[in-house]
């Protein structure tokens, strides 16, 4: 059974930084493209960034140049370094595979950016 635990969210002022962490159980982390997603209030969940097992990353246009995704396959950990945060980055952030595994969603971690 796959299980994701996200952490590192919080309240930060506009322009600030946060680093999110994702701890994944289950073998599929080591063989899958992984991704960070977010859901803002009143909006659909969206893909923020993804990273292949070898480390090739892609980003949504809205975060390109500000966010950096990384992973440690040996530790089954994934990270999202978020810099120059904006109020529109406020959301609950989740990690999962890409495409996402239906039963692998965790509780997410809340990121709130004040203006």
């Amino acid at each position: 059974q796959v299980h994701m635990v996200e952490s590192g969210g919080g309240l930060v002022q506009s322009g600030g930084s946060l680093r999110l962490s994702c701890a994944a159980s289950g073998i599929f982390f080591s063989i899958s493209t992984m991704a960070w997603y977010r859901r803002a209030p009143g909006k659909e969940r969206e893909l923020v960034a993804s990273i292949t097992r070898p480390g090739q990353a892609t980003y949504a246009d809205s975060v390109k140049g500000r966010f950096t995704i990384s992973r440690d396959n040996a530790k089954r950990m994934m990270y999202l370094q978020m810099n120059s945060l904006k109020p529109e980055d406020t959301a609950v952030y989740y990690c999962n595979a890409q495409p996402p595994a239906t039963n692998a969603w965790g509780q997410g971690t809340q990121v709130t950016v004040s203006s």
Side-chain angles (χ1 to χ4, degrees):
Q1 184 175 357
V2 178
H3 186 57
M4 308 290 181
V5 179
E6 302 90 350
S7 63
L11 174 63
V12 63
Q13 289 188 334
S14 182
S17 297
L18 285 173
R19 187 188 192 218
L20 306 184
S21 297
C22 169
S25 63
I27 191 172
F28 87 69
F29 178 87
S30 62
I31 63 174
S32 299
T33 294
M34 296 297 295
W36 285 98
Y37 302 81
R38 68 185 180 187
R39 175 174 283 166
K43 296 186 177 181
E44 296 292 318
R45 183 153 43 203
E46 64 172 341
L47 176 65
V48 175
S50 64
I51 185 167
T52 64
R53 187 178 186 279
Q56 184 175 4
T58 58
Y59 300 92
D61 287 343
S62 58
V63 306
K64 201 171 294 183
R66 300 187 298 121
F67 291 10
T68 302
I69 189 172
S70 61
R71 65 189 290 170
D72 185 331
N73 292 328
K75 295 181 179 179
R76 294 180 181 173
M77 294 291 296
M78 183 173 65
Y79 307 97
L80 187 68
Q81 177 65 44
M82 306 186 296
N83 298 329
S84 302
L85 283 162
K86 304 176 181 181
E88 50 264 44
D89 295 317
T90 294
V92 179
Y93 285 71
Y94 304 86
C95 59
N96 204 327
Q98 186 193 14
T102 302
N103 297 325
W105 293 107
Q107 294 299 309
T109 186
Q110 175 71 49
V111 171
T112 304
V113 185
S114 63
S115 57

